[in-house]
Amino acid sequence: LGSIKLNFYDQMNLKTNLVSDGAFRIIRNDVEINYNKNDMNIYSKFFYKKKDNLLGFKSDRSELNFGTHYKFNKKISTNFNLTYDLNNRHAQKTELTSRYNHDCMAVDFSVSREFNHNVSINSGLLIGIKFELIGLRGSIKADKAIRCAS
């Protein structure tokens, strides 16, 4: 079991976590690289999981994830994400989300598509909207919760 995190000038960081078996072979690994500049974040993630019949993982799993997050102002932000299956060499999922934050509520608008390559069902486009009542969450500062309740 190991974990490493390196930060470079508060703009870039590298994180990795790994698990090995008794023979010191890596059976699980994830690596993440982030670049932050002002209101923008660009990231790339790699995930690897070795097959393990005892735990129900019948084959190795390896994927790449690319994405970006941009904050237009205090209230509006957007996120784009692409997940790619390295073993089967195809895209797994793409997603675009925009968020509007208000004092008492956040609204997410999203468009995503999952690519089902192993089944006979056609891949579909999913369009979503999610409302989050911020004033009811315990992790938000008390002053916001009080403004939302009044």
Side-chain angles (χ1 to χ4, degrees), residues 3-138:
S3 181
I4 298 171
K5 182 176 181 181
L6 302 171
N7 292 318
F8 305 99
Y9 304 109
D10 292 333
Q11 290 182 347
M12 189 169 189
N13 65 47
L14 168 72
K15 295 186 280 191
T16 184
N17 298 302
L18 59 97
V19 177
S20 65
D21 62 10
F24 296 106
R25 291 180 300 230
I26 295 175
I27 57 173
R28 181 188 168 119
N29 186 21
D30 58 86
V31 178
E32 181 177 343
I33 298 172
N34 285 293
Y35 175 75
N36 299 298
K37 183 74 173 180
N38 299 329
D39 294 327
M40 181 182 64
N41 176 322
I42 300 171
Y43 58 89
S44 178
K45 300 175 186 177
F46 168 76
F47 175 79
Y48 171 75
K49 174 82 174 102
K50 186 141 182 81
K51 80 176 189 174
D52 187 338
N53 292 329
L54 292 175
L55 295 176
F57 300 109
K58 296 186 183 351
S59 63
D60 290 355
R61 184 173 154 207
S62 187
E63 62 187 42
L64 275 175
N65 185 292
F66 300 100
T68 184
H69 177 82
Y70 186 76
K71 189 174 180 179
F72 293 98
N73 53 43
K74 289 183 178 182
K75 294 188 180 257
I76 300 173
S77 63
T78 189
N79 188 56
F80 175 75
N81 188 3
L82 169 68
T83 303
Y84 185 81
D85 183 337
L86 291 169
N87 287 349
N88 297 313
R89 295 189 174 107
H90 62 74
Q92 283 184 311
K93 184 178 183 178
T94 59
E95 184 173 28
L96 176 65
T97 304
S98 291
R99 173 170 268 225
Y100 173 76
N101 284 310
H102 186 267
D103 289 338
C104 301
M105 172 177 71
V107 181
D108 289 341
F109 302 95
S110 64
V111 177
S112 65
R113 181 171 182 179
E114 290 193 31
F115 301 94
N116 300 320
H117 296 277
N118 297 328
V119 296
S120 61
I121 302 171
N122 289 334
S123 300
L125 188 67
L126 180 64
I127 298 172
I129 185 168
K130 179 176 89 173
F131 296 94
E132 182 179 345
L133 299 176
I134 295 174
L136 301 178
R137 274 196 334 215

